[in-house]
């Protein structure tokens, strides 16, 4: 009954994933490819975690 008040952890992960991708895009625009690569790797780790939550 009170399950509607619980927050969905995948929503928080999805927002973090989108934020990382935006940061990576900005880094690429500024020519900082090292930061772009590391942020993209972090975003991919978040995406995998999101997929794991969806499968469970």
């Amino acid at each position: 009954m009170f399950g509607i008040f619980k927050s969905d952890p995948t929503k928080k992960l999805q927002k973090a994933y989108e934020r990382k991708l935006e940061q990576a895009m900005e880094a690429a625009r500024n020519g900082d490819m090292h930061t772009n690569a590391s942020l993209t790797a972090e975003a991919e780790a978040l995406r995998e975690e999101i997929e794991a939550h969806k499968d469970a």
Side-chain angles (χ1 to χ4, degrees), residues 9-10 13 48-56:
T10 56
L13 289 171
E48 290 173 3
E49 192 172 343
I50 291 169
E51 291 297 319
H53 279 279
K54 286 182 180 178
D55 292 339

Side-chain angles (χ1 to χ4, degrees), residues 30-46:
N30 292 331
D32 189 357
M33 292 309 194
H34 179 71
T35 303
N36 176 31
S38 65
L39 288 170
T40 303
E42 291 176 22
E44 284 301 311
L46 286 170

Side-chain angles (χ1 to χ4, degrees), residues 3 7 11 13 15 17-18 20-21 24-25 27 33 40-42 47-48 51-52:
S7 63
K11 285 183 182 181
L13 289 171
K15 285 185 180 186
Y17 171 70
E18 291 172 4
K20 287 288 182 190
L21 287 179
M25 181 182 62
M33 292 309 194
T40 303
E42 291 176 22
R47 185 188 59 78
E48 290 173 3
E51 291 297 319

Side-chain angles (χ1 to χ4, degrees), residues 3-14 53:
I4 60 172
F5 298 116
K6 292 183 180 179
S7 63
D8 186 13
T10 56
K11 285 183 182 181
K12 186 180 282 189
L13 289 171
Q14 183 68 33
H53 279 279

